Amino acid sequence: AQSVAQPEDQVNVAEGNPLTVKCTYSVSGNPYLFWYVQYPNRGLQFLLKYITGDNLVKGSYGFEAEFNKSQTSFHLKKPSALVSDSALYFCAVRDGRDSSYKLIFGSGTRLLVRP
Amino acid sequence: GAGVSQSPSNKVTEKGKDVELRCDPISGHTALYWYRQRLGQGLEFLIYFQGNSAPDKSGLPSDRFSAERTGESVSTLTIQRTQQEDSAVYLCASSRATQETQYFGPGTRLLVL
């Protein structure tokens, strides 16, 4: 069965410091991996995705994520955090087999960037 | 261009009443999805529409939940005889095709008293 784990409920970081939000996954076929961000009272906004190719994926707002097949991880990173990055972040996975379309989401990680 | 829109943004209802939630997908997107987000949790898949194919209803939690879609446009999610455990944010997403990136609407926050 497919699953996603975000082991940290909350991540705290000072503005200007690098940030990492962790995600590990389990899927039968090749994984399609996604990161979404949710600001208060708003829907999910797409940040980036990994389908195939380069393990380092660059996305919106300076975020990037690294796919690590051996560790089944897809951690979200940013070199220098901004206070405006404070939000709820969701990792999601889809099985890469042709017939698959369901996204399986992690429980979310709240990122708090302090000034 | 316009994103996915949902209405109402908030809905408060009494236990036992029926509610109808609406989703307008991005124009030209053939695939449409409904998810439920309970407080402090991730998203749960509810139902999927793709063109004229039969919808995948495997995520609907009970027969009180149903959804329809008119062609490749508007979708409505109906919850009959609402219960307090139905309180959640209901999110709609659409994608250009089945395996393309899903783009989400702002959600409808449902509170059942």
Side-chain angles (χ1 to χ4, degrees):
Chain A
Q2 302 168 64
S3 66
V4 176
Q6 294 182 242
E8 304 154 314
D9 290 335
Q10 182 162 313
V11 170
N12 298 305
V13 65
E15 187 174 31
N17 283 359
L19 69 87
T20 299
V21 182
K22 296 179 180 177
C23 172
T24 58
Y25 66 90
S26 174
V27 67
S28 300
N30 290 325
Y32 288 8
L33 294 153
F34 303 81
W35 276 101
Y36 287 86
V37 59
Q38 186 175 36
Y39 296 98
N41 300 316
R42 298 191 44 193
L44 274 68
Q45 295 181 31
F46 170 72
L47 274 181
L48 51 79
K49 66 180 178 183
Y50 171 83
I51 303 297
T52 186
D54 195 348
N55 289 344
L56 184 64
V57 178
K58 294 189 182 297
S60 306
Y61 312 120
F63 283 93
E64 58 188 28
E66 186 167 13
F67 171 62
N68 187 316
K69 187 173 183 178
S70 63
Q71 297 185 5
T72 62
S73 68
F74 190 57
H75 301 332
L76 182 70
K77 300 181 180 183
K78 187 174 182 181
S80 178
L82 299 173
V83 172
S84 58
D85 293 331
S86 299
L88 189 56
Y89 290 80
F90 289 96
C91 181
V93 68
R94 177 163 65 80
D95 192 314
R97 290 173 292 185
D98 287 345
S99 62
S100 175
Y101 48 81
K102 294 179 187 177
L103 282 179
I104 305 300
F105 283 84
S107 56
T109 298
R110 187 166 302 280
L111 174 66
L112 181 61
V113 182
R114 59 185 185 275
Chain B
V4 178
S5 61
Q6 292 185 245
S7 60
S9 55
N10 291 281
K11 177 71 176 178
V12 180
T13 190
E14 295 178 348
K15 178 182 173 180
K17 300 280 190 182
D18 297 351
V19 295
E20 191 172 276
L21 313 180
R22 176 187 169 110
C23 172
D24 284 89
I26 294 172
S27 178
H29 280 198
T30 62
L32 187 146
Y33 315 76
W34 282 97
Y35 292 85
R36 178 171 69 178
Q37 183 181 20
R38 286 177 159 152
L39 187 64
Q41 298 184 25
L43 278 69
E44 306 168 67
F45 167 80
L46 296 178
I47 189 169
Y48 157 76
F49 295 91
Q50 169 60 50
N52 295 320
S53 302
D56 177 354
K57 305 179 181 181
S58 61
L60 295 179
S62 78
D63 58 8
R64 295 186 295 105
F65 287 72
S66 63
E68 294 183 348
R69 187 181 186 193
T70 307
E72 293 186 351
S73 60
V74 173
S75 175
T76 55
L77 176 69
T78 301
I79 309 173
Q80 295 177 308
R81 305 180 303 282
T82 53
Q83 304 294 312
Q84 289 181 333
E85 63 262 27
D86 299 334
S87 296
V89 177
Y90 290 83
L91 289 158
C92 175
S94 70
S95 62
R96 192 168 50 186
T98 295
Q99 296 180 333
E100 298 280 339
T101 300
Q102 296 178 28
Y103 293 92
F104 285 79
T108 293
R109 188 174 300 274
L110 175 65
L111 178 61
V112 182
L113 301 177

